[in-house]
Amino acid sequence: MYQVRTDLALEAREKFQKNDAEVKGVRVEEEKSGNMKVTKVIIETENGAKAMGKPKGSYITLEAPDMADSDEDYHREISRQLAEILKELMPIEKKELSVLVVGLGNREVTPDALGPRVVDNMMITRHIIRKFGKYAFGLKRNHQISSIVPGVMAQTGMETLEIIKGVLDETSPDYIIAIDALAARSTKRLNRTIQITDTGISPGSGVGNHRHALNRESMGIPVVAIGIPTVVDAVTIVSDTMNSLVVAMEETRKLEDLGRSISRLEEAEKYELIRELLSPGLNAMFVTPKDIDESVKRLSFTISEGINMAFFPG
Amino acid sequence: MYQVRTDLALEAREKFQKNDAEVKGVRVEEEKSGNMKVTKVIIETENGAKAMGKPKGSYITLEAPDMADSDEDYHREISRQLAEILKELMPIEKKELSVLVVGLGNREVTPDALGPRVVDNMMITRHIIRKFGKYAFGLKRNHQISSIVPGVMAQTGMETLEIIKGVLDETSPDYIIAIDALAARSTKRLNRTIQITDTGISPGSGVGNHRHALNRESMGIPVVAIGIPTVVDAVTIVSDTMNSLVVAMEETRKLEDLGRSISRLEEAEKYELIRELLSPGLNAMFVTPKDIDESVKRLSFTISEGINMAFFPG
Amino acid sequence: MYQVRTDLALEAREKFQKNDAEVKGVRVEEEKSGNMKVTKVIIETENGAKAMGKPKGSYITLEAPDMADSDEDYHREISRQLAEILKELMPIEKKELSVLVVGLGNREVTPDALGPRVVDNMMITRHIIRKFGKYAFGLKRNHQISSIVPGVMAQTGMETLEIIKGVLDETSPDYIIAIDALAARSTKRLNRTIQITDTGISPGSGVGNHRHALNRESMGIPVVAIGIPTVVDAVTIVSDTMNSLVVAMEETRKLEDLGRSISRLEEAEKYELIRELLSPGLNAMFVTPKDIDESVKRLSFTISEGINMAFFPG
Amino acid sequence: MYQVRTDLALEAREKFQKNDAEVKGVRVEEEKSGNMKVTKVIIETENGAKAMGKPKGSYITLEAPDMADSDEDYHREISRQLAEILKELMPIEKKELSVLVVGLGNREVTPDALGPRVVDNMMITRHIIRKFGKYAFGLKRNHQISSIVPGVMAQTGMETLEIIKGVLDETSPDYIIAIDALAARSTKRLNRTIQITDTGISPGSGVGNHRHALNRESMGIPVVAIGIPTVVDAVTIVSDTMNSLVVAMEETRKLEDLGRSISRLEEAEKYELIRELLSPGLNAMFVTPKDIDESVKRLSFTISEGINMAFFPG
């Protein structure tokens, strides 16, 4: 069956809420913190995972309506909240960790550059601690942070996973933090939502559609993923408009029979029809805001600050 | 009335061809050269200009199906053809010219970076000729090439035109060549078409939608514009799919009355409906291919080579 | 006479201090502020200007030993101090100003990229205030900030001054703030000193050696210049080592007559000798630290923050 | 003993030639090809390696006086010559190879960006051949080219070698081609010489001074290294000037005793003296031309073209 694409568990969940349905095996918790909203979607069972189209685990979403603005203090607040969430998902305050930060995506395509640009601002300590010992920074806990920007397959000729796996084998970190630009279903969420999850990156997610999972199973160590939706699939945009059209038609007297006749189509037929009509190649396209440069610059800084705060407080 | 946006005169013309109509005041000439197709759309009268939604002048389009590929010899062929067209539009072989090359667009947004990246590879000679005299290069004609990348308003706080106008006043070139990334109507044309025109840049064109005309009237000297479509408006994508839907429905028995009822809508109603249904903010979005980085890199090189060949043969 | 090159008034002054000499027409004031040192060198007369090799005016130097480190709070402190100095040099708190920020230098050469990178992080408001009026930001004073990165002559074929002059004519700001990477005499000052002056930029200064003055006289409006030394001239490095050699030799018994014989040379002879011996082309070379990328990234942010704080407090 | 640093075997050899000495175990062959000069320095024995300060193997140097110029045809000629040399060092025309191209250095520091920028223009085929089979390109031999830009330790927290080793383990190529910016002794060689060697990269070489060897021994497969000198060590510049000074003094009557007294110093004493006198921190500095941006852009293209020609002729 046709599944409109979203990398956000929040949006996958919303699909069901519209129909007032409870999804078995999926628990949702919401919390307000200032004018930020933190939502936890916890997929607890395999059935829940199947219904949601996402692996079991915790998906924490940080929504902030003004995240797209340039207020610096506000961004600092978001970074702080992100730091708290990371400290919940990883034993940062309990022991010294060795963490590999992976900046996924393509630095040369603006909305896909989030991961590489987060890494640009990371505080990197592994080489210093290994050389000068754990007292080099005079901190209570000396986490060893290393990082890599593996690039995309068209640039390297290799699977991203091959590169990361190789680096793991040589350097044996305890945790991976993977940063990636995501695809949302709704343009309204673009650059306004941070999703943090302990499930890693799934095949088909990200702007460039990863071909393989980057998770505990494939890597052998826990993978925390941080993502921000920066694009919408071109196919999604068109499908959503079509759906709105049907609803609008049914509500409009004048278009009564038009609406009715579309409604009579099966869901599957409807999507198949749209898919056929779409320009060939639209699958290889994305939709993104014209000011995406400003957003990616600001948001990559907000995330790197959050990670830095989590590991190096004070 | 609603006008689906295209910066290509070729696409504006096609609209009429579908209806088998001759457009008064618009002449079209086609020519094959190898596996390139050169089309000239000449808008001769004000009526023609109004019908086409573009100013009077010549619009020369270079279409090459494999322009999106990476075959270097083929790109050299395209550069050569571009050089020939420039020599037709400007008296390059008759006298020594002083030319300001303007790289329009935003270097930080990949599909809008075409103009700035063309300028990166231009052969710049003005300062050398002014310092060492016209024998500095030992060429038959010593054209003085200068260039500027004015940036976009969000970066400079100034209209692009203010900046270019200021530079003109100080340096008095004979010609402007303006390079810009364009918006097409069809995704199939993206990165496969070069449009060269003697009419300059019109308000509303380009990826970032220029607010003012950059042309002979505003600048006081002739402006040759070179553009490649790298994006489609998000609104256009949806509208086009809707239109295909109607056609498809009318052809399908099963959907007979559905198609009929949409056809009964006035054009204007139809577009109004779509516009209302589109996600708010979709106007500020664009659609572009995922491999836009490779395309912009290659095509900016093809254009800069073409200009270099035109002014510095041999 | 040969003059070892420095863009820092502080270093020009030090030359005299070694000889315990007072320089007539030059006043020096020092002040400590935390672990920053603020030095004002005020050149009051033409004679003073001649002796110092710098135009009349105020040169304020902010020295901070740890400026090369990455402590963020500390950099915030430096930004705050810079903001205070700017508010002394310009009537920012008295009236609404229109200010053009000029990022001098070459973005593609790391130690020369300071100016362009400062502009990348500026808060640009001119276009917004002109469109939405002075209440757009809800601030007490609505300064109109615009900016330009003119590039270098090898890229544009034009004098930097021609470009800035043209932009001024079109947009008529009240003030220019010019940011530039400087050349110091001592490697110890690199990336550790900010010089702010009301005299603009002089010919021969900056990493790329500007050919013309950018100041009140040439521009018609006041020019405040902010610079950080990021390179030392290759010639300077060698000369300084030679001088140290002489001193060392005179102090060493074994080398007595060697030292004496060099000392017997006239200053001018000595420099002439060195200049002849230097590899041809060394004049077109610079010396810079290997970690210059980190420094320029951090310092450009510190400066842009300082300017932003001065114009948009709170 | 003090050894003035050069990464060029050619310069290491010249040291001896000045004294008319034959170096045992080192063979030199020269050849003219147009206005290029190809020199092979073959270090055949361990004694030769010790004398030269470089590992055993072949060092082929391509010198072209106009390499620093922008003549495109000329650069194509250099690329062609480079392709020939690569075909001598690797069995490219005998069998299908899997080759990992490694772009060493720091993309953010202009003279160190050569390696990363070469990789930007490589034709990458591994992923395509693995997906579509060996007939994907219709070539006689289908070499699988992959690439990686490992970054520098300050960015990744990892040894470059750890990253490359990890990638090797996962992807098992037959050969590594490593590209790196080198340090020369003479400013005259900067950006004018390409060195190709089958010995890989030695500790201490490159702009950033690699800490470990990247060679057959450490990697388990042959490593061909391609380098261009883009910097001179700051220490070298000063030392060389001092040496020229002594020679000049001895030739000048007036300075007779000065020269004599310096000559009386032992070599070791002289270098020790200079080293002490040099500004602290000069070891962490480099000297590079002001137009290094143009050179690195052009030369990285010349090298990538050469490698592409070697593997994908026609």
Side-chain angles (χ1 to χ4, degrees), chain D residues 109 139 152 157 177 180 242 271 276 304 306:
Chain D
V109 175
L139 293 171
V152 296
I177 297 180
D180 202 7
M242 295 296 296
Y271 283 119
E276 275 168 25
S304 61

Side-chain angles (χ1 to χ4, degrees), chain C residues 106 108-110 155 187 190 207 209 234 237-238 241-242 244-245 248-249 254-255 257-258 261-262 264-265 269 273 277-280 282-290 293, chain D residues 106 108-110 155 187 190 207 209 234 237-238 241-242 244-245 248 254-255 257-258 261-262 264-265 269 273 277-280 282-290 292-293:
Chain C
N106 184 348
E108 301 300 318
V109 175
T110 316
Q155 292 163 348
T187 56
L190 294 187
V207 172
N209 292 357
I237 289 274
V238 176
T241 313
M242 294 296 295
S244 312
L245 180 64
M249 282 170 163
K254 191 177 165 204
L255 297 169
D257 32 313
L258 171 61
S261 34
I262 295 190
R264 274 199 305 263
L265 290 176
E269 280 178 302
L273 187 64
L277 297 170
L278 287 174
S279 305
L282 201 62
N283 283 309
M285 307 238 165
F286 61 77
V287 180
T288 202
K290 284 176 184 169
D293 56 328
Chain D
N106 184 349
E108 302 300 318
V109 175
T110 315
Q155 293 162 348
T187 57
L190 294 187
V207 171
N209 291 358
I237 290 273
V238 176
T241 312
M242 295 296 296
S244 312
L245 181 64
K254 188 173 165 208
L255 298 169
D257 29 314
L258 171 60
S261 34
I262 295 190
R264 274 198 306 262
L265 291 175
E269 281 179 302
L273 187 64
L277 297 171
L278 286 174
S279 306
L282 201 61
N283 283 309
M285 307 240 163
F286 60 76
V287 180
T288 202
K290 285 177 184 169
I292 186 67
D293 56 329

Side-chain angles (χ1 to χ4, degrees), chain D residues 27-277:
Chain D
R27 196 151 47 83
V28 180
E29 295 167 12
E30 282 186 23
E31 196 184 314
K32 283 267 177 191
S33 161
N35 56 356
M36 270 176 275
K37 191 171 141 197
V38 180
T39 311
K40 275 188 210 177
V41 175
I42 302 137
I43 305 183
E44 295 174 315
T45 64
E46 282 307 331
N47 272 343
K50 216 170 156 187
M52 296 280 287
K54 307 236 163 286
K56 275 200 305 184
S58 297
Y59 299 82
I60 302 163
T61 315
L62 204 59
E63 283 176 284
D66 306 336
M67 203 185 281
D69 293 357
S70 65
D71 183 330
E72 209 179 305
D73 291 331
Y74 189 52
H75 275 261
R76 188 168 286 255
E77 207 44 61
I78 301 170
S79 298
R80 220 164 266 147
Q81 188 75 47
L82 172 59
E84 290 311 312
I85 294 170
L86 290 175
K87 285 189 278 188
E88 270 176 47
L89 292 177
M90 303 163 68
I92 298 173
E93 290 180 324
K94 298 214 185 76
K95 51 178 175 174
E96 296 189 339
L97 298 176
S98 175
V99 177
L100 176 66
V101 179
V102 178
L104 296 168
N106 184 349
R107 187 189 286 282
E108 302 300 318
V109 175
T110 315
D112 201 18
L114 184 81
R117 295 189 71 156
V118 166
V119 164
D120 287 349
N121 288 307
M122 289 302 308
M123 187 160 165
I124 302 299
T125 59
R126 180 176 178 270
H127 59 304
I128 297 173
I129 291 174
R130 286 170 70 92
K131 187 167 175 198
F132 298 105
K134 50 191 293 185
Y135 302 107
F137 293 100
L139 293 171
K140 200 169 153 204
R141 294 200 200 290
N142 294 279
H143 302 294
Q144 295 189 23
I145 311 294
S146 55
S147 78
I148 192 153
V149 174
V152 296
M153 207 161 57
Q155 293 162 348
T156 64
M158 298 181 279
E159 294 282 350
T160 306
L161 239 66
E162 289 178 308
I163 298 172
I164 302 171
K165 195 78 176 60
V167 168
L168 284 192
D169 291 348
E170 291 291 310
T171 62
S172 309
D174 306 314
Y175 270 86
I176 289 174
I177 297 180
I179 325 290
D180 202 7
L182 305 178
R185 179 187 182 123
S186 157
T187 57
K188 277 169 289 182
R189 289 210 195 278
L190 294 187
N191 306 323
R192 278 188 184 74
T193 307
I194 304 178
Q195 173 173 281
I196 306 103
T197 165
D198 58 5
T199 61
I201 306 278
S202 307
S205 64
V207 171
N209 291 358
H210 300 294
R211 297 176 9 151
H212 297 287
L214 175 68
N215 57 23
R216 183 175 217 140
E217 210 181 338
S218 65
M219 292 291 124
I221 56 170
V223 179
V224 170
I226 304 177
I228 292 182
T230 60
V231 306
V232 173
D233 264 15
V235 177
T236 305
I237 290 273
V238 176
S239 302
D240 279 2
T241 312
M242 295 296 296
N243 283 336
S244 312
L245 181 64
V246 173
V247 174
M249 282 172 165
E250 291 178 321
E251 287 168 355
T252 316
R253 207 146 249 253
K254 188 173 165 208
L255 298 169
E256 219 166 352
D257 29 314
L258 171 60
R260 260 204 311 267
S261 34
I262 295 190
S263 312
R264 274 198 306 262
L265 291 175
E266 297 288 314
E267 274 296 294
E269 281 179 302
K270 218 160 62 189
Y271 283 119
E272 205 38 58
L273 187 64
I274 292 169
R275 203 196 268 274
E276 275 168 25
L277 297 171

